[in-house]
Amino acid sequence: MKDQLLFRVTECVPLTGLGVLLLGAEVAPLLASLALHTALALTLRYSSGRSVAAVATVEEVARPGELPVRALLLTQEAAGPVPVGTEVWWSGTEIGWEQLF
């Protein structure tokens, strides 16, 4: 499968003990088709041109007065803030739970 752009990061929220939540401005229809908590092998492409492999799970965020949206939770150790504008690409590879530990 060819890599697919899921979204560009518009908000990055560190969640102590869980990871880093990434949200995009545009709706990512592909994320809606995946089950919640599915782990994905991703590539983060920074505006500097640097690319980094990452693992994230599909999550849903609900805010008062807004419809729920899908987001990605970076779960790898030492996950840090991701700059706004970073592109999140998916190769189509799902990660099994046994690979996360």
Side-chain angles (χ1 to χ4, degrees), residues 7 21-24 31 57-61 69-73:
F7 58 79
L21 190 68
L22 303 180
L23 295 134
L31 287 181
T57 56
V58 177
E59 305 298 335
E60 192 166 77
V61 175
V69 295
R70 291 290 173 105
L72 292 170
L73 180 64

Side-chain angles (χ1 to χ4, degrees), residues 4-100:
Q4 300 175 61
L5 176 63
L6 295 178
F7 58 79
R8 286 176 182 80
V9 175
T10 57
E11 190 175 354
C12 171
V13 182
L15 301 174
T16 304
L18 295 176
V20 178
L21 190 68
L22 303 180
L23 295 134
E26 61 276 357
V27 175
L30 186 57
L31 287 181
S33 70
L34 297 168
L36 289 177
H37 314 300
T38 300
L40 308 175
L42 303 173
T43 302
L44 303 178
R45 296 183 185 169
Y46 298 95
S47 59
S48 65
R50 182 174 70 114
S51 292
V52 175
V55 174
T57 56
V58 177
E59 305 298 335
E60 192 166 77
V61 175
R63 293 178 173 168
E66 296 180 15
L67 293 173
V69 295
R70 291 290 173 105
L72 292 170
L73 180 64
L74 294 178
T75 56
Q76 71 268 13
E77 246 182 83
V82 175
V84 169
T86 299
E87 294 179 342
V88 180
W89 290 80
W90 182 43
S91 65
T93 303
E94 292 183 18
I95 303 294
W97 287 107
E98 66 281 354
Q99 295 170 285
L100 293 175

